[in-house]
């Protein structure tokens, strides 16, 4: 799983704090964590994603080795934890889910 963030070069922060909540189909919380997504290099201010003009896309892994204990539906919720309610410069946010590569 990875977060996909599309942001503008004038986003006022270098990072984005998020908290995720992973629940099983019965509503049991399996994991929750506050995470920091770095969008700009702290020293140079250069955007870290791929971009064209003033728009950038960055994919950031959610977790490395999350195991899902059984087949079924899971709920994944994300909440931003920045100091502002609305985040100017964050244009879109999504979640990409894919099967892990076979070893």
């Amino acid at each position: 799983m990875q977060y996909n963030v599309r942001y503008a070069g004038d986003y006022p922060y270098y990072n984005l704090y998020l908290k995720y909540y992973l629940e099983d189909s019965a509503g049991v919380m399996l994991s929750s964590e506050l995470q920091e997504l770095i969008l700009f290099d702290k020293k140079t201010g250069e955007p870290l994603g791929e971009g064209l003009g003033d728009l950038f896309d960055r994919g950031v892994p959610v977790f490395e080795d999350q195991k899902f204990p059984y087949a079924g539906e899971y709920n994944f919720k994300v909440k931003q934890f920045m100091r502002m309610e609305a985040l100017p410069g964050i244009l879109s946010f999504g979640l990409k889910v894919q099967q892990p590569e076979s070893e």
Side-chain angles (χ1 to χ4, degrees):
M1 294 177 67
Q2 79 174 24
Y3 299 119
N4 289 330
V5 183
R6 175 166 286 165
Y7 59 101
D10 63 355
Y11 176 63
Y13 304 103
Y14 73 91
N15 63 356
L16 174 60
Y17 282 104
L18 304 170
K19 187 168 188 176
Y20 78 80
Y21 306 89
L22 178 62
E23 299 175 344
D24 67 9
S25 59
V28 175
M29 184 71 62
L30 300 176
S31 66
S32 177
E33 183 179 343
L34 180 65
Q35 298 176 312
E36 179 183 26
L37 281 61
I38 304 297
L39 302 178
F40 295 89
D41 184 279
K42 292 179 188 179
K43 292 183 181 181
T44 66
E46 292 294 317
L48 297 176
E50 296 180 10
L52 182 63
D54 193 36
L55 299 179
F56 302 92
D57 294 306
R58 180 148 165 80
V60 180
V62 176
F63 30 64
E64 292 296 321
D65 295 318
Q66 174 69 40
K67 303 291 185 200
F68 293 89
Y70 44 85
E73 291 186 19
Y74 292 86
N75 293 312
F76 188 84
K77 299 174 187 175
V78 179
K79 182 177 181 179
Q80 64 97 347
F81 263 68
M82 299 298 286
R83 295 182 186 118
M84 308 171 76
E85 183 69 27
L87 297 176
I90 299 294
L91 306 173
S92 66
F93 183 87
L95 184 68
K96 181 179 180 180
V97 180
Q98 62 188 33
Q99 290 286 346
E101 295 179 10
S102 299
E103 295 180 4

